[in-house]
Amino acid sequence: MKLFFDFLPIVLFFVAYKFGGGEYTFNGISYQLEGIYVATAVMIVVSLLQVCITWLLYRKVERAHLITLALVLVLGGLTLWLHNPDFIKWKPTAVNWLFALVFIGAYLFTDKSLLERMMADHIQLPAKVWTRLNLAWVAFFILSGLVNLYVAFNYDEATWVNFKLFGMLGLTIVFVVAQSIYLAKHAVEVKK
């Protein structure tokens, strides 16, 4: 359920792109809206709602959601303001590369990797396994960002929108499953 909630802005971006463009009439004036701009506006609103609802329910918001919201507001806002979809195409890459930097920074400048901080209460792993997992996530984030840029700027917009939902989600699921298999070989459950 959490994965769906995390991907909800992307899912609704996809739906708005596919069904939100077209000609609209308001007070006798016709407006032509392109799907990418409708989708970007929807993603901005949904991301804001996601953070607000999370805050109302739990009185805290994950940093990942705040980082994503900030990038959606900046890059989505620039997309709408300058009427240039290239900004929103950079958003997945910016998010992934920023997460890679956070994982690297936590590893280099603290006594524990970010993954170890998040998961150590639930499983025990040797230090070298935590390091490998951290580096795997860094590589995954960097590679995901590169793949996004490749698809965004070498294929048409509709292909990129499909990739943004299905490709990125698929890559994430495959990576998480591979990580789970790796963890199963090394993990010891922490008894409380």
Side-chain angles (χ1 to χ4, degrees):
M1 192 66 185
K2 183 184 178 325
L3 186 62
F4 175 74
F5 187 70
D6 288 347
F7 274 89
L8 187 61
I10 296 167
V11 170
L12 294 179
F13 176 90
F14 174 82
V15 171
Y17 180 83
K18 295 296 183 185
F19 302 108
E23 188 171 326
Y24 296 90
T25 303
F26 181 71
N27 287 338
I29 301 171
S30 291
Y31 298 94
Q32 181 66 36
L33 296 176
E34 293 179 46
I36 192 71
Y37 302 113
V38 173
T40 299
V42 165
M43 187 165 57
I44 290 170
V45 170
V46 172
S47 296
L48 276 167
L49 286 172
Q50 183 183 51
V51 167
C52 291
I53 289 168
T54 302
W55 172 253
L56 289 172
L57 291 174
Y58 306 108
R59 292 290 184 231
K60 67 178 183 174
V61 179
E62 292 180 24
R63 285 187 188 142
H65 288 168
L66 292 174
I67 291 168
T68 301
L69 175 61
L71 288 170
V72 164
L73 290 173
V74 170
L75 296 174
L78 287 170
T79 294
L80 296 176
W81 183 39
L82 299 175
H83 209 69
N84 182 346
D86 288 351
F87 291 104
I88 202 64
K89 290 179 180 180
W90 269 92
K91 198 266 315 169
T93 296
V95 168
N96 281 307
W97 288 356
L98 190 57
F99 287 162
L101 284 173
V102 169
F103 273 63
I104 290 169
Y107 175 74
L108 292 176
F109 300 112
T110 66
D111 59 334
K112 293 181 182 178
S113 71
L114 196 56
L115 284 175
E116 188 174 358
R117 289 178 192 280
M118 294 186 308
M119 299 172 63
D121 289 343
H122 306 290
I123 58 173
Q124 292 178 342
L125 294 170
K128 68 180 182 177
V129 174
W130 285 119
T131 299
R132 285 183 197 146
L133 284 173
N134 194 68
L135 292 174
W137 275 99
V138 169
F140 173 74
F141 287 136
I142 291 170
L143 182 62
S144 293
L146 288 171
V147 171
N148 175 68
L149 289 178
Y150 179 79
V151 174
F153 296 106
N154 288 291
Y155 293 91
D156 63 38
E157 188 176 273
T159 300
W160 174 75
V161 170
N162 288 331
F163 171 76
K164 184 173 164 41
L165 175 60
F166 301 110
M168 294 295 261
L169 180 60
L171 286 172
T172 302
I173 290 171
V174 167
F175 180 75
V176 168
V177 167
Q179 174 189 276
S180 298
I181 292 168
Y182 180 75
L183 277 173
K185 293 179 183 179
H186 300 284
V188 175
E189 190 174 338
V190 174
K191 299 189 184 201
K192 292 184 177 185

Coordinates of all heavy atoms in Angstrom, one line a residue, residues 5-55:
F5 N 1.0 4.5 -2.6 CA 0.8 5.8 -2.1 C 2.0 6.7 -2.6 O 1.9 7.8 -3.0 CB 0.7 5.9 -0.6 CG 0.4 7.3 0.0 CD1 -0.8 7.9 -0.2 CD2 1.4 8.0 0.7 CE1 -1.1 9.1 0.3 CE2 1.1 9.2 1.2 CZ -0.1 9.8 1.0
D6 N 3.2 6.1 -2.5 CA 4.4 6.8 -3.0 C 4.4 7.1 -4.5 O 4.8 8.1 -5.0 CB 5.7 6.0 -2.7 CG 6.0 6.0 -1.2 OD1 5.4 6.8 -0.4 OD2 6.9 5.1 -0.8
F7 N 3.8 6.2 -5.3 CA 3.7 6.3 -6.7 C 2.4 7.0 -7.2 O 2.2 7.2 -8.4 CB 3.9 5.0 -7.4 CG 5.3 4.6 -7.6 CD1 6.0 3.9 -6.7 CD2 5.9 4.9 -8.8 CE1 7.3 3.5 -6.9 CE2 7.2 4.6 -9.0 CZ 7.9 3.9 -8.1
L8 N 1.5 7.4 -6.3 CA 0.2 8.0 -6.6 C 0.4 9.2 -7.5 O -0.3 9.4 -8.5 CB -0.6 8.3 -5.4 CG -2.0 8.8 -5.6 CD1 -2.8 7.7 -6.4 CD2 -2.7 9.1 -4.3
P9 N 1.3 10.2 -7.2 CA 1.4 11.3 -8.1 C 1.8 10.9 -9.5 O 1.4 11.5 -10.5 CB 2.5 12.2 -7.4 CG 2.5 11.8 -6.0 CD 2.1 10.3 -6.0
I10 N 2.7 9.9 -9.6 CA 3.1 9.4 -10.9 C 1.9 8.8 -11.7 O 1.7 9.0 -12.9 CB 4.3 8.5 -10.8 CG1 5.5 9.2 -10.2 CG2 4.7 7.9 -12.2 CD1 6.6 8.3 -9.8
V11 N 1.2 8.0 -11.0 CA 0.0 7.3 -11.6 C -1.0 8.4 -12.1 O -1.5 8.3 -13.2 CB -0.7 6.4 -10.6 CG1 -2.0 5.9 -11.1 CG2 0.2 5.2 -10.2
L12 N -1.3 9.4 -11.2 CA -2.2 10.4 -11.6 C -1.7 11.3 -12.7 O -2.4 11.8 -13.6 CB -2.7 11.2 -10.4 CG -3.6 10.3 -9.5 CD1 -4.0 11.2 -8.2 CD2 -4.7 9.7 -10.1
F13 N -0.3 11.5 -12.7 CA 0.3 12.2 -13.8 C 0.0 11.5 -15.1 O -0.3 12.1 -16.1 CB 1.8 12.3 -13.6 CG 2.6 12.9 -14.7 CD1 2.9 14.3 -14.7 CD2 3.2 12.2 -15.7 CE1 3.6 14.9 -15.7 CE2 3.9 12.7 -16.7 CZ 4.2 14.1 -16.7
F14 N 0.2 10.2 -15.1 CA 0.0 9.3 -16.3 C -1.5 9.5 -16.8 O -1.8 9.7 -17.9 CB 0.3 7.9 -16.0 CG 0.0 6.9 -17.0 CD1 0.9 6.7 -18.1 CD2 -1.2 6.2 -17.0 CE1 0.6 5.8 -19.1 CE2 -1.5 5.3 -18.0 CZ -0.6 5.1 -19.1
V15 N -2.4 9.3 -15.8 CA -3.8 9.4 -16.2 C -4.2 10.8 -16.7 O -4.9 10.9 -17.8 CB -4.7 9.1 -14.9 CG1 -6.2 9.3 -15.2 CG2 -4.5 7.6 -14.5
A16 N -3.7 11.8 -16.1 CA -4.0 13.2 -16.6 C -3.4 13.4 -18.0 O -4.0 14.1 -18.8 CB -3.5 14.2 -15.6
Y17 N -2.2 12.9 -18.2 CA -1.6 13.0 -19.5 C -2.4 12.3 -20.6 O -2.6 12.9 -21.7 CB -0.2 12.4 -19.5 CG 0.5 12.5 -20.8 CD1 1.2 13.7 -21.2 CD2 0.5 11.5 -21.8 CE1 1.8 13.9 -22.4 CE2 1.1 11.6 -23.0 CZ 1.8 12.8 -23.3 OH 2.4 12.9 -24.5
K18 N -2.9 11.1 -20.3 CA -3.6 10.3 -21.3 C -5.0 10.9 -21.5 O -5.5 10.8 -22.7 CB -3.8 8.9 -20.8 CG -2.5 8.1 -20.7 CD -1.8 8.0 -22.1 CE -0.5 7.2 -21.9 NZ 0.2 7.1 -23.2
F19 N -5.7 11.5 -20.5 CA -7.1 11.9 -20.6 C -7.3 13.4 -20.4 O -8.5 13.8 -20.6 CB -7.9 11.1 -19.7 CG -7.8 9.6 -19.9 CD1 -7.1 8.8 -19.0 CD2 -8.4 9.0 -21.0 CE1 -7.0 7.4 -19.1 CE2 -8.2 7.6 -21.2 CZ -7.6 6.8 -20.3
G20 N -6.3 14.1 -20.0 CA -6.6 15.5 -19.6 C -6.4 16.6 -20.7 O -6.8 17.7 -20.5
G21 N -5.7 16.2 -21.7 CA -5.5 17.2 -22.8 C -6.7 17.4 -23.7 O -7.6 16.6 -23.6
G22 N -6.7 18.5 -24.4 CA -7.8 18.7 -25.4 C -8.3 20.1 -25.3 O -7.7 21.0 -24.7
E23 N -9.4 20.3 -26.0 CA -10.0 21.7 -26.0 C -11.1 21.8 -25.0 O -12.0 20.9 -24.8 CB -10.6 21.9 -27.4 CG -11.0 23.4 -27.6 CD -11.4 23.7 -29.0 OE1 -10.8 23.1 -29.9 OE2 -12.3 24.5 -29.2
Y24 N -11.0 22.9 -24.2 CA -12.0 23.1 -23.2 C -12.6 24.5 -23.4 O -11.9 25.4 -23.9 CB -11.4 23.1 -21.8 CG -10.8 21.7 -21.4 CD1 -9.5 21.4 -21.7 CD2 -11.7 20.8 -20.8 CE1 -9.1 20.1 -21.4 CE2 -11.2 19.5 -20.5 CZ -9.9 19.2 -20.8 OH -9.4 18.0 -20.5
T25 N -13.9 24.7 -23.1 CA -14.5 26.0 -23.2 C -15.0 26.5 -21.8 O -15.6 25.7 -21.1 CB -15.7 25.9 -24.2 OG1 -15.3 25.4 -25.4 CG2 -16.4 27.2 -24.4
F26 N -14.6 27.7 -21.5 CA -15.0 28.3 -20.3 C -15.5 29.7 -20.5 O -14.8 30.5 -21.1 CB -13.8 28.3 -19.3 CG -14.1 28.9 -17.9 CD1 -14.9 28.2 -17.0 CD2 -13.6 30.1 -17.6 CE1 -15.2 28.7 -15.8 CE2 -13.9 30.7 -16.3 CZ -14.7 30.0 -15.5
N27 N -16.7 30.0 -20.2 CA -17.3 31.3 -20.4 C -17.3 31.7 -21.9 O -17.0 32.9 -22.2 CB -16.7 32.4 -19.5 CG -17.1 32.3 -18.1 OD1 -18.1 31.8 -17.8 ND2 -16.3 32.9 -17.2
G28 N -17.5 30.8 -22.8 CA -17.5 31.0 -24.2 C -16.1 31.1 -24.8 O -16.0 31.4 -26.0
I29 N -15.1 31.0 -24.0 CA -13.7 31.0 -24.6 C -13.1 29.6 -24.6 O -13.2 28.9 -23.6 CB -12.8 32.0 -23.7 CG1 -13.4 33.4 -23.7 CG2 -11.4 32.0 -24.3 CD1 -12.7 34.3 -22.7
S30 N -12.6 29.3 -25.8 CA -12.0 27.9 -26.0 C -10.5 28.0 -25.6 O -9.8 28.9 -26.0 CB -12.2 27.4 -27.4 OG -13.5 27.2 -27.7
Y31 N -10.1 26.9 -24.9 CA -8.7 26.8 -24.5 C -8.2 25.4 -25.0 O -8.9 24.4 -24.8 CB -8.6 26.8 -23.0 CG -9.0 28.1 -22.4 CD1 -10.3 28.3 -21.9 CD2 -8.1 29.2 -22.3 CE1 -10.7 29.5 -21.3 CE2 -8.5 30.4 -21.7 CZ -9.8 30.5 -21.2 OH -10.2 31.7 -20.7
Q32 N -7.0 25.4 -25.5 CA -6.4 24.1 -25.9 C -5.4 23.8 -24.9 O -4.4 24.5 -24.7 CB -5.8 24.3 -27.3 CG -5.1 23.0 -27.8 CD -6.1 21.9 -28.1 OE1 -7.2 22.2 -28.6 NE2 -5.7 20.7 -27.8
L33 N -5.6 22.7 -24.2 CA -4.6 22.3 -23.2 C -3.9 21.0 -23.6 O -4.5 20.0 -24.0 CB -5.3 22.0 -21.8 CG -6.0 23.2 -21.2 CD1 -6.8 22.7 -20.0 CD2 -5.0 24.2 -20.8
E34 N -2.6 21.1 -23.5 CA -1.7 19.9 -23.9 C -1.6 19.0 -22.7 O -1.5 19.5 -21.5 CB -0.4 20.4 -24.3 CG -0.4 21.1 -25.6 CD 1.0 21.6 -26.0 OE1 2.0 20.8 -26.0 OE2 1.1 22.8 -26.4
G35 N -1.6 17.7 -22.9 CA -1.7 16.7 -21.8 C -0.5 16.9 -20.9 O -0.7 16.7 -19.6
I36 N 0.7 17.2 -21.3 CA 1.8 17.3 -20.4 C 1.7 18.4 -19.4 O 2.1 18.3 -18.2 CB 3.2 17.5 -21.2 CG1 4.4 17.3 -20.3 CG2 3.2 18.9 -21.9 CD1 4.6 15.9 -19.9
Y37 N 1.0 19.5 -19.8 CA 0.8 20.6 -18.8 C -0.3 20.3 -17.8 O -0.2 20.6 -16.7 CB 0.6 21.9 -19.6 CG 1.7 22.2 -20.5 CD1 1.6 22.2 -21.9 CD2 3.0 22.4 -20.0 CE1 2.6 22.4 -22.7 CE2 4.1 22.7 -20.8 CZ 3.9 22.6 -22.2 OH 5.0 22.8 -23.0
V38 N -1.4 19.6 -18.3 CA -2.4 19.2 -17.4 C -1.8 18.2 -16.4 O -2.1 18.3 -15.2 CB -3.6 18.5 -18.2 CG1 -4.6 17.9 -17.3 CG2 -4.3 19.6 -19.1
A39 N -1.1 17.2 -16.9 CA -0.4 16.2 -16.1 C 0.5 16.8 -15.0 O 0.5 16.4 -13.9 CB 0.3 15.2 -16.9
T40 N 1.3 17.8 -15.5 CA 2.2 18.5 -14.5 C 1.4 19.2 -13.4 O 1.8 19.1 -12.2 CB 3.1 19.5 -15.3 OG1 3.8 18.8 -16.3 CG2 4.0 20.2 -14.4
A41 N 0.3 19.9 -13.8 CA -0.5 20.6 -12.8 C -1.1 19.6 -11.8 O -1.1 19.8 -10.6 CB -1.6 21.4 -13.5
V42 N -1.6 18.5 -12.3 CA -2.1 17.4 -11.5 C -1.1 16.9 -10.5 O -1.3 16.7 -9.3 CB -2.8 16.3 -12.3 CG1 -3.1 15.0 -11.5 CG2 -4.0 16.8 -13.0
M43 N 0.1 16.6 -11.0 CA 1.2 16.1 -10.2 C 1.5 17.1 -9.1 O 1.8 16.7 -7.9 CB 2.4 15.7 -11.0 CG 3.5 15.0 -10.1 SD 4.7 14.2 -11.1 CE 5.4 15.5 -12.0
I44 N 1.5 18.4 -9.4 CA 1.8 19.4 -8.3 C 0.8 19.3 -7.2 O 1.1 19.2 -6.1 CB 1.9 20.8 -9.0 CG1 3.2 20.9 -9.8 CG2 1.9 21.9 -7.9 CD1 3.2 22.2 -10.7
V45 N -0.5 19.3 -7.6 CA -1.6 19.3 -6.7 C -1.6 18.0 -5.9 O -1.7 18.0 -4.6 CB -2.9 19.5 -7.4 CG1 -4.1 19.2 -6.4 CG2 -3.0 20.9 -8.0
V46 N -1.4 16.9 -6.5 CA -1.4 15.6 -5.8 C -0.2 15.5 -4.9 O -0.4 14.9 -3.8 CB -1.5 14.4 -6.8 CG1 -1.3 13.1 -6.1 CG2 -2.8 14.4 -7.6
S47 N 0.9 15.9 -5.3 CA 2.1 15.9 -4.4 C 1.9 16.8 -3.2 O 2.3 16.3 -2.0 CB 3.3 16.4 -5.2 OG 3.6 15.5 -6.2
L48 N 1.3 17.9 -3.3 CA 1.0 18.8 -2.2 C 0.0 18.1 -1.3 O 0.1 18.0 0.0 CB 0.4 20.1 -2.7 CG 1.3 21.2 -3.0 CD1 0.6 22.3 -3.8 CD2 2.1 21.7 -1.8
L49 N -1.1 17.5 -1.9 CA -2.1 16.7 -1.1 C -1.4 15.5 -0.3 O -1.8 15.3 0.8 CB -3.2 16.3 -1.9 CG -4.2 17.3 -2.4 CD1 -5.2 16.8 -3.4 CD2 -4.9 17.9 -1.2
Q50 N -0.5 14.9 -1.0 CA 0.1 13.7 -0.4 C 0.9 14.1 0.9 O 0.7 13.4 1.9 CB 1.1 13.1 -1.4 CG 1.8 11.9 -1.0 CD 2.8 11.4 -2.0 OE1 3.6 12.2 -2.5 NE2 2.7 10.1 -2.4
V51 N 1.6 15.2 0.8 CA 2.3 15.6 2.0 C 1.4 16.1 3.1 O 1.6 15.8 4.2 CB 3.3 16.7 1.6 CG1 3.9 17.5 2.8 CG2 4.5 16.1 0.7
C52 N 0.3 16.9 2.7 CA -0.6 17.4 3.7 C -1.4 16.2 4.3 O -1.5 16.2 5.6 CB -1.6 18.3 3.0 SG -0.9 19.9 2.5
I53 N -1.8 15.3 3.6 CA -2.6 14.1 4.2 C -1.7 13.3 5.1 O -2.1 12.9 6.2 CB -3.2 13.2 3.0 CG1 -4.3 14.0 2.4 CG2 -3.6 11.9 3.6 CD1 -4.8 13.3 1.1
T54 N -0.4 13.1 4.7 CA 0.5 12.4 5.5 C 0.7 13.1 6.8 O 0.7 12.5 7.9 CB 1.9 12.2 4.8 OG1 1.6 11.5 3.6 CG2 2.9 11.4 5.6
W55 N 0.9 14.4 6.7 CA 1.1 15.2 8.0 C -0.2 15.1 8.9 O 0.0 14.9 10.1 CB 1.4 16.7 7.6 CG 1.4 17.5 8.8 CD1 0.4 18.4 9.2 CD2 2.4 17.6 9.9 NE1 0.8 19.0 10.4 CE2 2.0 18.5 10.8 CE3 3.6 16.9 10.0 CZ2 2.7 18.8 12.0 CZ3 4.3 17.1 11.2 CH2 3.9 18.1 12.1

